[in-house]
Amino acid sequence: QVQLRESGPGLVKPSQTLSLTCVVSGGSISGGGYYWSWIRQQPGKGLEWIGYINYSGTTSYNPSLKSRLTISLDTFKIHISLRSATAADTAIYYCARVDVDSRDVPIAFDTWGQGTRVTVSS
Amino acid sequence: EIVLTQSPGTLSLSPGESATLSCRATQSVRLTYLAWYQQKPGQAPRLLIYGSSTRAAGIPARFGGGGSGTDFTLTISRLEPEDFAVYYCQQCDSSPCTFGQGTKLEI
């Protein structure tokens, strides 16, 4: 059974780059049928989709973050970089596996990591 | 972007009762791309329902999803103590994927 685990600095200074990694175990990133996504939850708030990447490296980003965002992957890891961080980026960041249909359209986030808390503050 | 509005914001019920949670979209969402999640305090969300009405692996039969177009529902029959949590609907029919703001189911 695939498991996801996020890691990265818990504290980032304003204007710096927020960088996190998600390690995938129990399954392969490169196999087809799934994409890999980042989702965040600001304190006391709901869920916000950040973006996803597929096994060939094709990405789709939330327009609200697109100008600052890069998602990449290698053999067993998915990376996120969010440039010019502000206090509004303070959140729990989740990595999730995305089930896709036969046309490679995302259906649902079927497996989640435990999340990693990031605070943007000087 | 498709905005999902969930109602009610908070639902107060007792174990053994049934719950009906609503999710309304600003545009039509195809059934395949509507999902529901449960989140308990301090935990990651868990997929309950995908394709509007298909239960995810390991989800008890008391959880059911329905609806079409712009109106979807999650029903939970015979509430168990562990069902009290926050529930989110989500769509990926149109990019960006969006979530509702959540319904808190409390005792």
Side-chain angles (χ1 to χ4, degrees):
Chain A
Q1 180 174 338
V2 67
Q3 293 185 313
L4 310 176
R5 189 174 189 91
E6 307 89 345
S7 63
L11 182 63
V12 175
K13 287 182 166 40
S15 80
Q16 293 191 340
T17 296
L18 186 160
S19 295
L20 302 172
T21 295
C22 172
V23 176
V24 178
S25 59
S28 172
I29 288 179
S30 59
Y34 297 104
Y35 289 1
W36 306 90
S37 186
W38 287 94
I39 296 157
R40 71 181 183 181
Q41 188 167 34
Q42 294 160 318
K45 300 284 184 65
L47 300 164
E48 179 182 26
W49 173 70
I50 297 172
Y52 62 70
I53 187 167
N54 72 8
Y55 42 87
S56 62
T58 301
T59 55
S60 179
Y61 297 156
N62 192 318
S64 67
L65 299 168
K66 186 174 183 177
S67 64
R68 301 190 290 129
L69 180 63
T70 301
I71 298 176
S72 61
L73 59 77
D74 51 44
T75 309
F76 291 105
K77 297 178 182 178
I78 304 112
H79 308 277
I80 182 175
S81 292
L82 190 59
R83 298 173 290 279
S84 304
T86 71
D89 296 316
T90 294
I92 297 173
Y93 285 76
Y94 295 101
C95 173
R97 189 178 74 171
V98 191
D99 191 14
V100 299
D101 67 10
S102 58
R103 296 180 298 119
D104 282 348
V105 177
I107 295 173
F109 306 98
D110 68 358
T111 306
W112 296 63
Q114 64 186 17
T116 188
R117 187 180 301 271
V118 178
T119 301
V120 180
S121 174
S122 55
Chain B
E1 129 177 359
I2 295 179
V3 176
L4 300 177
T5 302
Q6 294 185 240
S7 61
T10 302
L11 185 56
S12 299
L13 293 170
S14 299
E17 293 188 300
S18 294
T20 300
L21 286 64
S22 174
C23 175
R24 177 163 288 179
T26 52
Q27 302 172 41
S28 184
V29 175
R30 287 172 288 181
L31 297 177
T32 304
Y33 306 109
L34 194 287
W36 290 90
Y37 301 82
Q38 177 194 67
Q39 187 178 33
K40 296 180 180 179
Q43 296 184 17
R46 175 175 71 148
L47 177 65
L48 294 176
I49 301 284
Y50 64 93
S52 179
S53 62
T54 302
R55 286 189 305 278
I59 301 303
R62 64 179 183 273
F63 289 89
S68 63
T70 59
D71 291 292
F72 296 89
T73 56
L74 174 70
T75 56
I76 314 170
S77 58
R78 300 180 305 279
L79 285 164
E80 299 282 347
E82 61 266 27
D83 298 336
F84 292 90
V86 180
Y87 292 84
Y88 295 95
C89 59
Q90 165 256 311
Q91 70 79 31
C92 281
D93 191 355
S94 172
S95 187
C97 294
T98 52
F99 292 87
Q101 83 282 13
T103 289
K104 182 178 181 180
L105 180 55
E106 64 177 25
I107 296 178

